[in-house]
Amino acid sequence: MSFKIESVDAGSPAAHAGIRAGEHLVSVNGNAIGDVLDYRYYTADPELSVVLANGEGTERTVHIRNRNYLPLGLNFSTYLMDEKRSCANHCVFCFIDQLPSGLRESLYFKDDDMRLSFLMGNYITLTNLSDEDIEKIIRLRISPINISVHTTDPKLRIRMCRNPNAGKCFDIMRKLSDSGISMNCQIVLCPGLNDGDALRKTLTDLFSLRPAVNSISVVPVGLTGHRSGLYPLRSVTCEEARAVIAAVSEFGDHELYRSGERVVFASDEFYILAQLPLPSAEYYEGFDQLENGVGMVSLLKSEFSDALSAETGELSAPKPFSIATGVAAAPYIRELAEMLSLRCPNLKCRVFTVENKFFGGDVTVAGLLTGTDIKNALIGQDLGERLLIPASSLRYDGELFLDDMSLSELSEALSVKITPVPNDGAVLLNAMLGRDTAQ
């Protein structure tokens, strides 16, 4: 197997060694390259012997000295050097199955790729791993691996993932644990399936793999309004949310006493559903599960408070502006605006709650807001001179919403300048004060 080199970064070790675009990478230090993980691992040595082939298959060897451990500088047709691995499951709670029709095709792709787990933080189910894949994880020390566990009961996991391979999950995790591979775990909680005693068993099993299990998040199932013909699920109730928080707190408190680390956390959504105050930022230790919505609000509030406390002297009020956010975040954004108004009495800031009608159901997070819903909620409103929106609602390039409306189209429709703001309290403070938020 070989991979065609599409381009070579100027000034890189590969460029200095004379490697050219169009050549094929065959091996590094005698090791065949099968994908990006092999490439990253075997090019990390300070002395490299790189075998290349031209279009006719004629090989040549290039020797590279890379004592500063710089990236080699080769680029291939895809980030992974081959195709992404798709999910083989049919999970009863799959969010992608609940998407409305008519979205761009890429949004319907279900990835379940161990390489993206390591490189990008994606969560995988382990159901499409071969024995060779598992051995590769161990051999290359691919760690941490992020795993969507949901339950450690084999029969229940097969039922939830609707894949006969799903029951092997905990056995694979035990093997990874024995080999020193670190794991971050996610549990999507579905009422009546993996809650109650099933949740307690899952947490007990996961804690038996400590310290290899580095962190655990428990998040409520997200249900859109597009579930026709899908498995009958319902939302978590207030009482059920409180029961989950109680169980998570019990296991976390015990582990905190035993090892000094809490390890398991309920997502912010559970506290909102339970109508309970969120823990302080200190509670969440290293925020290992931030991308799962664990501690996100507390961290934002802490960063905002610290940044505001660092401000000296009198703060001048900016010209009137507005903030649009989702149902879940709106009360906390209003709290921050009120905090700022104590230091800036003439502050004129309106916080608008945008209901997610595009997805419907119980979707309340800011990151899934669409341009259409923001436009429909705010059109005709007095927005002041600026509108701040969550940057997480935009695609990675910062321009398109999930419904393919562009940021410029929304700005034109609302006749206001729009500033996307990341989930960072200090950046949010600067944006509210009208300062430059460029990162």
Side-chain angles (χ1 to χ4, degrees), residues 102-104 107 358 369-377 379 389 393-395 397-414 418:
L103 301 179
R104 55 183 176 270
L107 294 176
F358 186 86
L369 288 177
T370 63
T372 301
D373 280 334
I374 297 174
K375 183 186 75 171
N376 291 340
I379 199 159
I389 65 168
S393 63
L394 294 167
R395 200 172 64 173
D397 58 10
E399 176 59 22
L400 287 181
F401 293 92
L402 287 169
D403 60 352
D404 282 343
M405 179 181 285
S406 70
L407 190 64
S408 56
E409 287 174 331
L410 179 61
S411 178
E412 183 178 354
L414 297 178
I418 301 178

mmCIF file of all heavy atoms in Angstrom, residues 102-104 107 358 369-377 379 389 393-395 397-414 418:
data_model
loop_
_atom_site.group_PDB
_atom_site.id
_atom_site.type_symbol
_atom_site.label_atom_id
_atom_site.label_comp_id
_atom_site.label_asym_id
_atom_site.label_seq_id
_atom_site.Cartn_x
_atom_site.Cartn_y
_atom_site.Cartn_z
ATOM 1 N N GLY A 102 -33.402 17.329 3.776
ATOM 2 C CA GLY A 102 -33.030 18.521 3.039
ATOM 3 C C GLY A 102 -31.763 19.204 3.494
ATOM 4 O O GLY A 102 -31.393 20.246 2.939
ATOM 5 N N LEU A 103 -31.054 18.658 4.479
ATOM 6 C CA LEU A 103 -29.791 19.248 4.919
ATOM 7 C C LEU A 103 -28.671 18.799 3.991
ATOM 8 O O LEU A 103 -28.819 17.868 3.205
ATOM 9 C CB LEU A 103 -29.484 18.837 6.360
ATOM 10 C CG LEU A 103 -30.515 19.230 7.419
ATOM 11 C CD1 LEU A 103 -30.085 18.722 8.788
ATOM 12 C CD2 LEU A 103 -30.728 20.735 7.455
ATOM 13 N N ARG A 104 -27.493 19.456 4.092
ATOM 14 C CA ARG A 104 -26.374 19.049 3.245
ATOM 15 C C ARG A 104 -25.961 17.625 3.594
ATOM 16 O O ARG A 104 -26.023 17.192 4.749
ATOM 17 C CB ARG A 104 -25.202 20.017 3.376
ATOM 18 C CG ARG A 104 -24.679 20.253 4.768
ATOM 19 C CD ARG A 104 -23.571 21.302 4.750
ATOM 20 N NE ARG A 104 -23.095 21.629 6.078
ATOM 21 C CZ ARG A 104 -23.593 22.591 6.838
ATOM 22 N NH1 ARG A 104 -24.613 23.304 6.399
ATOM 23 N NH2 ARG A 104 -23.100 22.836 8.040
ATOM 24 N N LEU A 107 -23.986 16.099 6.713
ATOM 25 C CA LEU A 107 -24.573 16.043 8.059
ATOM 26 C C LEU A 107 -25.205 14.694 8.356
ATOM 27 O O LEU A 107 -25.455 14.374 9.519
ATOM 28 C CB LEU A 107 -25.612 17.152 8.225
ATOM 29 C CG LEU A 107 -25.078 18.585 8.203
ATOM 30 C CD1 LEU A 107 -26.215 19.585 8.279
ATOM 31 C CD2 LEU A 107 -24.090 18.809 9.344
ATOM 32 N N PHE A 358 -36.561 24.462 14.170
ATOM 33 C CA PHE A 358 -36.035 23.709 13.031
ATOM 34 C C PHE A 358 -35.923 22.230 13.377
ATOM 35 O O PHE A 358 -36.336 21.364 12.609
ATOM 36 C CB PHE A 358 -34.674 24.273 12.622
ATOM 37 C CG PHE A 358 -34.108 23.671 11.370
ATOM 38 C CD1 PHE A 358 -34.446 24.177 10.131
ATOM 39 C CD2 PHE A 358 -33.224 22.606 11.426
ATOM 40 C CE1 PHE A 358 -33.923 23.633 8.964
ATOM 41 C CE2 PHE A 358 -32.697 22.055 10.273
ATOM 42 C CZ PHE A 358 -33.048 22.563 9.044
ATOM 43 N N LEU A 369 -28.736 25.922 17.016
ATOM 44 C CA LEU A 369 -29.599 26.967 16.479
ATOM 45 C C LEU A 369 -29.345 27.130 14.986
ATOM 46 O O LEU A 369 -28.216 26.983 14.509
ATOM 47 C CB LEU A 369 -29.345 28.301 17.179
ATOM 48 C CG LEU A 369 -29.834 28.427 18.620
ATOM 49 C CD1 LEU A 369 -29.436 29.777 19.188
ATOM 50 C CD2 LEU A 369 -31.349 28.247 18.696
ATOM 51 N N THR A 370 -30.378 27.448 14.245
ATOM 52 C CA THR A 370 -30.239 27.684 12.814
ATOM 53 C C THR A 370 -30.456 29.161 12.510
ATOM 54 O O THR A 370 -31.080 29.892 13.291
ATOM 55 C CB THR A 370 -31.262 26.858 12.016
ATOM 56 O OG1 THR A 370 -32.586 27.278 12.382
ATOM 57 C CG2 THR A 370 -31.097 25.377 12.276
ATOM 58 N N GLY A 371 -29.967 29.577 11.349
ATOM 59 C CA GLY A 371 -30.172 30.960 10.941
ATOM 60 C C GLY A 371 -31.638 31.304 10.799
ATOM 61 O O GLY A 371 -32.072 32.407 11.165
ATOM 62 N N THR A 372 -32.415 30.349 10.309
ATOM 63 C CA THR A 372 -33.852 30.589 10.122
ATOM 64 C C THR A 372 -34.552 30.862 11.449
ATOM 65 O O THR A 372 -35.361 31.798 11.556
ATOM 66 C CB THR A 372 -34.505 29.382 9.428
ATOM 67 O OG1 THR A 372 -33.880 29.169 8.163
ATOM 68 C CG2 THR A 372 -35.999 29.616 9.228
ATOM 69 N N ASP A 373 -34.245 30.067 12.459
ATOM 70 C CA ASP A 373 -34.897 30.267 13.760
ATOM 71 C C ASP A 373 -34.477 31.592 14.390
ATOM 72 O O ASP A 373 -35.294 32.290 15.002
ATOM 73 C CB ASP A 373 -34.580 29.106 14.703
ATOM 74 C CG ASP A 373 -35.446 27.878 14.424
ATOM 75 O OD1 ASP A 373 -36.557 28.054 13.892
ATOM 76 O OD2 ASP A 373 -35.008 26.758 14.741
ATOM 77 N N ILE A 374 -33.199 31.949 14.262
ATOM 78 C CA ILE A 374 -32.742 33.233 14.793
ATOM 79 C C ILE A 374 -33.443 34.374 14.068
ATOM 80 O O ILE A 374 -33.941 35.330 14.687
ATOM 81 C CB ILE A 374 -31.202 33.362 14.680
ATOM 82 C CG1 ILE A 374 -30.514 32.295 15.536
ATOM 83 C CG2 ILE A 374 -30.752 34.761 15.109
ATOM 84 C CD1 ILE A 374 -29.002 32.261 15.376
ATOM 85 N N LYS A 375 -33.513 34.279 12.742
ATOM 86 C CA LYS A 375 -34.169 35.334 11.961
ATOM 87 C C LYS A 375 -35.640 35.479 12.360
ATOM 88 O O LYS A 375 -36.119 36.598 12.618
ATOM 89 C CB LYS A 375 -34.067 35.017 10.468
ATOM 90 C CG LYS A 375 -34.672 36.099 9.573
ATOM 91 C CD LYS A 375 -34.687 35.690 8.117
ATOM 92 C CE LYS A 375 -35.798 34.662 7.864
ATOM 93 N NZ LYS A 375 -35.975 34.413 6.404
ATOM 94 N N ASN A 376 -36.357 34.362 12.428
ATOM 95 C CA ASN A 376 -37.787 34.419 12.740
ATOM 96 C C ASN A 376 -38.045 34.929 14.148
ATOM 97 O O ASN A 376 -39.059 35.588 14.404
ATOM 98 C CB ASN A 376 -38.419 33.043 12.559
ATOM 99 C CG ASN A 376 -38.469 32.606 11.105
ATOM 100 O OD1 ASN A 376 -38.375 33.438 10.207
ATOM 101 N ND2 ASN A 376 -38.615 31.315 10.876
ATOM 102 N N ALA A 377 -37.127 34.635 15.083
ATOM 103 C CA ALA A 377 -37.317 35.078 16.461
ATOM 104 C C ALA A 377 -37.008 36.561 16.641
ATOM 105 O O ALA A 377 -37.583 37.217 17.514
ATOM 106 C CB ALA A 377 -36.438 34.251 17.399
ATOM 107 N N ILE A 379 -36.640 39.073 13.922
ATOM 108 C CA ILE A 379 -37.011 40.042 12.900
ATOM 109 C C ILE A 379 -38.062 41.016 13.450
ATOM 110 O O ILE A 379 -39.018 40.623 14.124
ATOM 111 C CB ILE A 379 -37.525 39.331 11.629
ATOM 112 C CG1 ILE A 379 -37.469 40.273 10.436
ATOM 113 C CG2 ILE A 379 -38.923 38.742 11.834
ATOM 114 C CD1 ILE A 379 -37.474 39.564 9.096
ATOM 115 N N ILE A 389 -24.048 36.219 18.702
ATOM 116 C CA ILE A 389 -24.634 34.887 18.619
ATOM 117 C C ILE A 389 -23.575 33.855 19.001
ATOM 118 O O ILE A 389 -22.371 34.137 18.931
ATOM 119 C CB ILE A 389 -25.165 34.573 17.199
ATOM 120 C CG1 ILE A 389 -24.000 34.512 16.196
ATOM 121 C CG2 ILE A 389 -26.222 35.595 16.769
ATOM 122 C CD1 ILE A 389 -24.384 33.926 14.855
ATOM 123 N N SER A 393 -22.951 27.662 16.765
ATOM 124 C CA SER A 393 -24.071 27.402 15.864
ATOM 125 C C SER A 393 -23.656 27.453 14.400
ATOM 126 O O SER A 393 -24.440 27.109 13.514
ATOM 127 C CB SER A 393 -25.204 28.409 16.112
ATOM 128 O OG SER A 393 -24.780 29.734 15.835
ATOM 129 N N LEU A 394 -22.416 27.869 14.151
ATOM 130 C CA LEU A 394 -21.905 27.970 12.781
ATOM 131 C C LEU A 394 -20.984 26.811 12.448
ATOM 132 O O LEU A 394 -20.359 26.223 13.338
ATOM 133 C CB LEU A 394 -21.147 29.286 12.599
ATOM 134 C CG LEU A 394 -21.982 30.560 12.705
ATOM 135 C CD1 LEU A 394 -21.070 31.771 12.823
ATOM 136 C CD2 LEU A 394 -22.903 30.702 11.493
ATOM 137 N N ARG A 395 -20.871 26.504 11.173
ATOM 138 C CA ARG A 395 -19.964 25.475 10.710
ATOM 139 C C ARG A 395 -18.526 25.883 11.036
ATOM 140 O O ARG A 395 -18.249 27.034 11.359
ATOM 141 C CB ARG A 395 -20.144 25.290 9.192
ATOM 142 C CG ARG A 395 -19.636 23.986 8.642
ATOM 143 C CD ARG A 395 -20.037 23.807 7.185
ATOM 144 N NE ARG A 395 -19.434 24.809 6.319
ATOM 145 C CZ ARG A 395 -19.527 24.790 4.989
ATOM 146 N NH1 ARG A 395 -20.219 23.837 4.398
ATOM 147 N NH2 ARG A 395 -18.958 25.744 4.268
ATOM 148 N N ASP A 397 -16.121 26.744 9.361
ATOM 149 C CA ASP A 397 -15.571 27.890 8.642
ATOM 150 C C ASP A 397 -16.154 29.210 9.121
ATOM 151 O O ASP A 397 -15.778 30.283 8.640
ATOM 152 C CB ASP A 397 -15.793 27.745 7.135
ATOM 153 C CG ASP A 397 -17.270 27.591 6.757
ATOM 154 O OD1 ASP A 397 -18.130 27.785 7.636
ATOM 155 O OD2 ASP A 397 -17.551 27.260 5.591
ATOM 156 N N GLY A 398 -17.098 29.154 10.087
ATOM 157 C CA GLY A 398 -17.648 30.360 10.683
ATOM 158 C C GLY A 398 -18.623 31.116 9.819
ATOM 159 O O GLY A 398 -18.923 32.284 10.100
ATOM 160 N N GLU A 399 -19.190 30.473 8.778
ATOM 161 C CA GLU A 399 -20.060 31.213 7.869
ATOM 162 C C GLU A 399 -21.458 30.616 7.742
ATOM 163 O O GLU A 399 -22.442 31.344 7.698
ATOM 164 C CB GLU A 399 -19.407 31.279 6.479
ATOM 165 C CG GLU A 399 -20.262 31.945 5.405
ATOM 166 C CD GLU A 399 -20.665 33.383 5.720
ATOM 167 O OE1 GLU A 399 -19.973 34.026 6.551
ATOM 168 O OE2 GLU A 399 -21.661 33.861 5.158
ATOM 169 N N LEU A 400 -21.597 29.284 7.733
ATOM 170 C CA LEU A 400 -22.898 28.667 7.479
ATOM 171 C C LEU A 400 -23.517 28.077 8.743
ATOM 172 O O LEU A 400 -22.832 27.440 9.547
ATOM 173 C CB LEU A 400 -22.772 27.562 6.436
ATOM 174 C CG LEU A 400 -22.544 27.974 4.984
ATOM 175 C CD1 LEU A 400 -22.474 26.731 4.111
ATOM 176 C CD2 LEU A 400 -23.637 28.911 4.495
ATOM 177 N N PHE A 401 -24.832 28.271 8.898
ATOM 178 C CA PHE A 401 -25.595 27.587 9.928
ATOM 179 C C PHE A 401 -25.975 26.195 9.424
ATOM 180 O O PHE A 401 -25.772 25.863 8.246
ATOM 181 C CB PHE A 401 -26.866 28.377 10.268
ATOM 182 C CG PHE A 401 -26.622 29.697 10.942
ATOM 183 C CD1 PHE A 401 -26.490 30.864 10.189
ATOM 184 C CD2 PHE A 401 -26.517 29.771 12.318
ATOM 185 C CE1 PHE A 401 -26.266 32.087 10.802
ATOM 186 C CE2 PHE A 401 -26.294 30.994 12.940
ATOM 187 C CZ PHE A 401 -26.163 32.152 12.188
ATOM 188 N N LEU A 402 -26.564 25.382 10.300
ATOM 189 C CA LEU A 402 -26.943 24.024 9.920
ATOM 190 C C LEU A 402 -27.975 23.988 8.797
ATOM 191 O O LEU A 402 -28.049 23.019 8.044
ATOM 192 C CB LEU A 402 -27.478 23.266 11.143
ATOM 193 C CG LEU A 402 -26.421 22.839 12.167
ATOM 194 C CD1 LEU A 402 -27.085 22.357 13.449
ATOM 195 C CD2 LEU A 402 -25.538 21.744 11.580
ATOM 196 N N ASP A 403 -28.781 25.031 8.692
ATOM 197 C CA ASP A 403 -29.787 25.067 7.619
ATOM 198 C C ASP A 403 -29.253 25.714 6.351
ATOM 199 O O ASP A 403 -30.019 26.019 5.433
ATOM 200 C CB ASP A 403 -31.044 25.798 8.094
ATOM 201 C CG ASP A 403 -30.768 27.242 8.504
ATOM 202 O OD1 ASP A 403 -29.578 27.632 8.558
ATOM 203 O OD2 ASP A 403 -31.732 27.971 8.796
ATOM 204 N N ASP A 404 -27.924 25.928 6.304
ATOM 205 C CA ASP A 404 -27.224 26.502 5.146
ATOM 206 C C ASP A 404 -27.485 27.984 4.936
ATOM 207 O O ASP A 404 -27.077 28.540 3.906
ATOM 208 C CB ASP A 404 -27.535 25.732 3.854
ATOM 209 C CG ASP A 404 -26.743 24.435 3.767
ATOM 210 O OD1 ASP A 404 -25.753 24.300 4.503
ATOM 211 O OD2 ASP A 404 -27.125 23.550 2.980
ATOM 212 N N MET A 405 -28.155 28.645 5.864
ATOM 213 C CA MET A 405 -28.202 30.099 5.801
ATOM 214 C C MET A 405 -26.824 30.623 6.183
ATOM 215 O O MET A 405 -26.188 30.100 7.102
ATOM 216 C CB MET A 405 -29.257 30.672 6.756
ATOM 217 C CG MET A 405 -29.311 32.206 6.735
ATOM 218 S SD MET A 405 -30.537 32.909 7.878
ATOM 219 C CE MET A 405 -32.049 32.554 6.986
ATOM 220 N N SER A 406 -26.362 31.642 5.472
ATOM 221 C CA SER A 406 -25.048 32.194 5.772
ATOM 222 C C SER A 406 -25.166 33.309 6.807
ATOM 223 O O SER A 406 -26.241 33.894 6.998
ATOM 224 C CB SER A 406 -24.394 32.738 4.502
ATOM 225 O OG SER A 406 -25.053 33.907 4.060
ATOM 226 N N LEU A 407 -24.042 33.590 7.447
ATOM 227 C CA LEU A 407 -24.001 34.659 8.438
ATOM 228 C C LEU A 407 -24.339 36.000 7.784
ATOM 229 O O LEU A 407 -25.068 36.818 8.364
ATOM 230 C CB LEU A 407 -22.607 34.706 9.079
ATOM 231 C CG LEU A 407 -22.420 35.595 10.307
ATOM 232 C CD1 LEU A 407 -23.281 35.092 11.459
ATOM 233 C CD2 LEU A 407 -20.954 35.611 10.722
ATOM 234 N N SER A 408 -23.841 36.220 6.582
ATOM 235 C CA SER A 408 -24.115 37.481 5.894
ATOM 236 C C SER A 408 -25.593 37.593 5.524
ATOM 237 O O SER A 408 -26.168 38.693 5.583
ATOM 238 C CB SER A 408 -23.235 37.605 4.652
ATOM 239 O OG SER A 408 -23.408 36.497 3.789
ATOM 240 N N GLU A 409 -26.229 36.489 5.161
ATOM 241 C CA GLU A 409 -27.658 36.506 4.846
ATOM 242 C C GLU A 409 -28.480 36.870 6.079
ATOM 243 O O GLU A 409 -29.437 37.647 5.998
ATOM 244 C CB GLU A 409 -28.104 35.151 4.315
ATOM 245 C CG GLU A 409 -27.638 34.845 2.903
ATOM 246 C CD GLU A 409 -27.972 33.433 2.470
ATOM 247 O OE1 GLU A 409 -28.038 32.534 3.343
ATOM 248 O OE2 GLU A 409 -28.164 33.225 1.261
ATOM 249 N N LEU A 410 -28.112 36.305 7.231
ATOM 250 C CA LEU A 410 -28.831 36.624 8.465
ATOM 251 C C LEU A 410 -28.627 38.083 8.838
ATOM 252 O O LEU A 410 -29.571 38.775 9.245
ATOM 253 C CB LEU A 410 -28.358 35.710 9.604
ATOM 254 C CG LEU A 410 -29.016 35.941 10.962
ATOM 255 C CD1 LEU A 410 -30.522 35.699 10.882
ATOM 256 C CD2 LEU A 410 -28.393 35.041 12.023
ATOM 257 N N SER A 411 -27.394 38.570 8.690
ATOM 258 C CA SER A 411 -27.097 39.963 9.004
ATOM 259 C C SER A 411 -27.926 40.900 8.135
ATOM 260 O O SER A 411 -28.484 41.901 8.619
ATOM 261 C CB SER A 411 -25.603 40.224 8.807
ATOM 262 O OG SER A 411 -25.289 41.571 9.055
ATOM 263 N N GLU A 412 -28.039 40.565 6.856
ATOM 264 C CA GLU A 412 -28.818 41.397 5.944
ATOM 265 C C GLU A 412 -30.305 41.351 6.294
ATOM 266 O O GLU A 412 -30.992 42.381 6.275
ATOM 267 C CB GLU A 412 -28.600 40.933 4.508
ATOM 268 C CG GLU A 412 -29.313 41.778 3.460
ATOM 269 C CD GLU A 412 -29.026 41.319 2.048
ATOM 270 O OE1 GLU A 412 -28.175 40.416 1.872
ATOM 271 O OE2 GLU A 412 -29.661 41.848 1.114
ATOM 272 N N ALA A 413 -30.800 40.164 6.654
ATOM 273 C CA ALA A 413 -32.222 40.024 6.968
ATOM 274 C C ALA A 413 -32.606 40.808 8.213
ATOM 275 O O ALA A 413 -33.711 41.348 8.317
ATOM 276 C CB ALA A 413 -32.569 38.553 7.142
ATOM 277 N N LEU A 414 -31.683 40.870 9.182
ATOM 278 C CA LEU A 414 -31.970 41.556 10.452
ATOM 279 C C LEU A 414 -31.442 42.984 10.470
ATOM 280 O O LEU A 414 -31.664 43.711 11.451
ATOM 281 C CB LEU A 414 -31.361 40.770 11.613
ATOM 282 C CG LEU A 414 -31.921 39.356 11.840
ATOM 283 C CD1 LEU A 414 -31.183 38.664 12.988
ATOM 284 C CD2 LEU A 414 -33.414 39.407 12.136
ATOM 285 N N ILE A 418 -23.475 41.245 12.956
ATOM 286 C CA ILE A 418 -23.520 40.052 13.806
ATOM 287 C C ILE A 418 -22.107 39.606 14.139
ATOM 288 O O ILE A 418 -21.244 39.503 13.267
ATOM 289 C CB ILE A 418 -24.284 38.909 13.116
ATOM 290 C CG1 ILE A 418 -25.724 39.338 12.801
ATOM 291 C CG2 ILE A 418 -24.294 37.662 13.998
ATOM 292 C CD1 ILE A 418 -26.524 38.281 12.077
#
